[in-house]
């Protein structure tokens, strides 16, 4: 990248090292991406939600959940709806996750009022759209 | 014996070791990577695309970027690489720097964090590395590299070749298109415009391209060679350049999945809308590089 006094080009060892790093990065990235594309026959989007914890909050509860996408494709505007039954009364809360990429998780929280036991809360993924 | 004249300022660089000189150049390249990459690094659609776009299309984009970097190195990048393997080395160095800088900034912003899977991180960083590496490579020619000092030693060609001009237009179009295409606003603009708007935009794009290069007194602009009429110049450079800008726009849109499931008329509209900034980039590249 520079000339010495005789005007000849000399490429430093450091430059070759960085260039090798660049080569590794390029080839590695392309290989990983192609392998990801070719992959096994996993379905496009497979969403599941599970409750992480229920924390008392104010007069009610905060239900922390994780939505996991086992598929390879990204799901956008994932709506998670929770229903809490307290005898005959039912309470619903919903939250929307901007997007859940393939083989990834995103977390969220639903708020419920009342003092019902956390075990009465059911969560489900209501729907999503393709990005 | 008369005292030897002190070496001119530009020659003092020769006394640096190659390693030190490389580090300085690399620092400059990192600066270029940040400057060229930052607008996109702060664009949320790029994060989403990095994660959600087709991995094959992203892989193709990366594969296409490497020869682009090599070509830019030969034509406009780190100074005076004579041998092809040096251009390849410079391209790889630019990619490494662009990659690392993108990763660092994304981590700094929290876009890549604890909850990010390796696959997500790879997609986001690799996508961002494309514009960042272009910035890293061009930093030498833009931010005052050694080119300016070594005029007659340099490889600046007296009369730029036609293919070199086309390549520069392609690079400029790609960079501008890349900056605009990911955003939601780009889609929105295409929806807002009527076919008359699109037609007008096409005419304006062509006029602007032509005006940029020939009619306006910008630095670095070449005058139309005497034997070539304005009409021929229009065909050879402006129309060809606009065609290149459109093809580049279509490619970038396809890469980001913005052409999928669209009627051909909508695809054409999208390409023409993106062609406006792309043709600007093509015209500007010829001036600046």
């Amino acid at each position: 990248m520079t000339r010495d006094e005789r005007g000849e080009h000399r490429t430093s060892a450091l430059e070759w090292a960085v260039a090798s790093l660049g080569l590794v990065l390029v080839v590695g990235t392309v290989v990983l991406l192609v392998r990801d594309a070719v992959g096994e026959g996993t379905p496009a989007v497979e969403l599941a939600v599970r409750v992480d914890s229920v924390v008392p909050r104010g007069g009610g509860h905060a239900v922390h959940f994780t939505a996991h996408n086992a598929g390879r494709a990204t799901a956008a505007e994932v709506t998670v709806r929770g229903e809490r039954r307290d005898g005959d009364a039912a309470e619903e809360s919903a939250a929307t996750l901007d997007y859940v990429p393939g083989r990834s998780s995103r977390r969220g929280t639903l708020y419920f009022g009342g003092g019902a036991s956390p075990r009465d809360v059911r969560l489900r993924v209501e729907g999503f759209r393709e990005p | 014996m008369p005292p030897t004249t002190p070496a001119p300022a530009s020659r003092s660089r020769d006394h640096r070791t190659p390693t030190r000189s490389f580090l300085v150049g690399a620092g400059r390249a990192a600066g270029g990577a940040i400057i060229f990459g930052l607008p996109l690094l702060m664009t949320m659609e790029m994060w989403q695309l990095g994660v959600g776009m087709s991995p094959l299309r992203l892989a193709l984009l990366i594969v296409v970027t490497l020869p682009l970097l090599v070509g830019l190195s030969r034509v406009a990048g780190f100074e005076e690489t004579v041998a092809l393997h040096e251009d390849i080395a410079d391209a790889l160095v630019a990619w490494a720097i662009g990659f690392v800088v993108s990763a660092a900034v994304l981590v700094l912003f929290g876009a890549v964090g604890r909850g990010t899977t390796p696959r997500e991180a790879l997609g986001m960083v690799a996508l961002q590395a494309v514009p960042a590496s272009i910035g890293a490579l061009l930093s030498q020619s833009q931010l005052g590299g050694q080119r300016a000092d070594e005029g007659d030693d340099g490889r600046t060609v007296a009369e730029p070749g036609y293919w070199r001009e086309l390549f520069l237009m392609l690079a400029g179009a790609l960079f501008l298109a890349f900056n605009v295409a990911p955003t939601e606003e780009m889609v929105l603009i295409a929806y807002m415009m009527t076919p008359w708007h699109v037609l007008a935009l096409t005419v304006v794009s062509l006029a602007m391209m032509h005006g940029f290069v020939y009619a306006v007194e910008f630095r670095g602009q070449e005058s139309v060679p005497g034997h070539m009429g304005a009409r021929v110049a229009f065909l050879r450079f402006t129309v060809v350049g606009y065609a290149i800008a459109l093809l580049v726009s279509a490619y970038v849109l396809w890469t980001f999945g913005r052409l999928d499931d669209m009627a051909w008329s909508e695809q054409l509209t999208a390409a023409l809308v993106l062609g406006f900034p792309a043709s600007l980039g093509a015209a500007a590249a010829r001036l600046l590089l």
Side-chain angles (χ1 to χ4, degrees):
Chain A
M1 268 176 64
T2 189
R3 306 180 149 205
D4 62 12
E5 284 116 348
R6 289 188 299 276
E8 292 169 11
H9 276 276
R10 287 178 54 206
T11 308
S12 66
L14 179 60
E15 183 179 353
W16 282 118
V18 177
S20 307
L21 172 68
L23 184 66
V24 164
L25 288 173
V26 166
V27 172
T29 300
V30 170
V31 163
L32 285 173
L33 286 171
V34 169
R35 279 178 58 183
D36 183 57
V38 169
E40 328 80 25
T42 46
V45 168
E46 205 175 282
L47 286 162
V49 63
R50 68 156 201 272
V51 175
D52 292 329
S53 61
V54 179
V55 175
R57 181 189 158 275
H61 289 89
V63 178
H64 302 294
F65 65 87
T66 299
H68 181 72
N69 182 0
R72 271 204 328 250
T74 302
E77 288 180 26
V78 177
T79 311
V80 173
R81 191 170 291 276
E83 191 183 276
R84 180 184 68 83
R85 290 201 173 278
D86 184 4
D88 285 334
E91 181 190 3
E92 273 196 347
S93 293
T96 305
L97 304 168
D98 277 350
Y99 65 105
V100 184
R103 290 195 276 257
S104 297
S105 307
R106 289 292 184 269
R107 294 182 298 197
T109 300
L110 292 174
Y111 293 120
F112 292 96
S117 152
R119 270 174 292 147
D120 292 337
V121 174
R122 299 255 184 279
L123 298 187
R124 70 177 200 280
V125 174
E126 197 170 57
F128 69 95
R129 70 163 175 84
E130 289 181 19
Chain B
M1 285 284 286
T4 51
T5 54
S10 62
R11 299 257 186 260
S12 65
R13 287 198 179 88
D14 295 334
H15 296 285
R16 284 187 192 148
T17 65
T19 299
R20 184 176 151 81
S21 195
F22 170 70
L23 282 174
V24 170
R28 234 188 331 245
I34 290 187
I35 290 177
F36 278 67
L38 200 61
L40 287 171
L41 282 163
M42 301 182 83
T43 301
M44 72 177 182
E45 288 95 340
M46 280 290 279
W47 309 334
Q48 293 166 359
L49 280 166
V51 170
M53 72 185 285
S54 153
L56 277 181
R57 295 185 193 187
L58 178 57
L60 177 66
L61 180 66
I62 295 170
V63 165
V64 157
T65 300
L66 260 300
L68 180 79
L69 291 174
V70 173
L72 278 175
S73 175
R74 282 203 80 72
V75 152
F78 295 138
E79 53 107 282
E80 289 155 42
T81 47
V82 177
L84 182 63
H85 72 265
E86 292 191 11
D87 290 311
I88 293 177
D90 279 349
L92 290 174
V93 167
W95 178 263
I97 291 177
F99 196 94
V100 168
V101 165
S102 300
V105 174
L106 285 173
V107 167
L108 196 62
F109 287 158
V112 168
R114 262 186 317 125
T116 316
T117 66
R119 165 66 181 90
E120 288 176 48
L122 179 71
M124 282 198 281
V125 173
L127 181 64
Q128 294 286 169
V130 170
S133 59
I134 293 176
L137 193 86
L138 291 179
S139 68
Q140 282 284 15
S141 81
Q142 293 313 308
L143 302 182
Q146 298 179 8
R147 266 180 105 76
D149 295 329
E150 297 167 74
D152 52 343
D153 286 332
R155 246 186 8 159
T156 323
V157 184
E159 184 179 308
Y162 183 56
W163 292 108
R164 177 181 181 271
E165 296 297 295
L166 293 191
F167 177 76
L168 283 177
M169 289 200 280
L170 186 142
L174 181 70
F175 187 73
L176 260 281
F178 208 89
N179 266 269
V180 170
T183 62
E184 195 68 29
E185 288 86 346
M186 161 62 213
V187 176
L188 198 58
I189 290 173
Y191 286 156
M192 290 193 303
M193 292 176 75
T194 67
W196 292 114
H197 283 119
V198 177
L199 193 62
L201 189 68
T202 307
V203 170
V204 167
S205 303
L206 278 166
M208 194 180 56
M209 268 198 86
H210 195 65
F212 242 79
V213 185
Y214 290 112
V216 188
E217 300 285 287
F218 280 140
R219 181 189 71 84
Q221 168 226 348
E222 75 220 24
S223 56
V224 180
H227 62 279
M228 191 189 297
R231 205 167 298 173
V232 177
F234 179 76
L235 282 173
R236 283 192 81 209
F237 285 103
T238 306
V239 170
V240 171
Y242 188 63
I244 289 176
L246 283 185
L247 287 172
V248 165
S249 299
Y251 170 66
V252 171
L253 286 169
W254 172 83
T255 298
F256 290 150
R258 296 238 186 266
L259 291 184
D260 298 347
D261 306 322
M262 282 168 82
W264 71 265
S265 60
E266 290 175 3
Q267 294 175 335
L268 181 64
T269 300
L272 285 169
V273 169
L274 190 59
F276 180 58
S279 56
L280 248 182
R286 284 189 67 203
L287 285 176
L288 299 173
L289 296 178

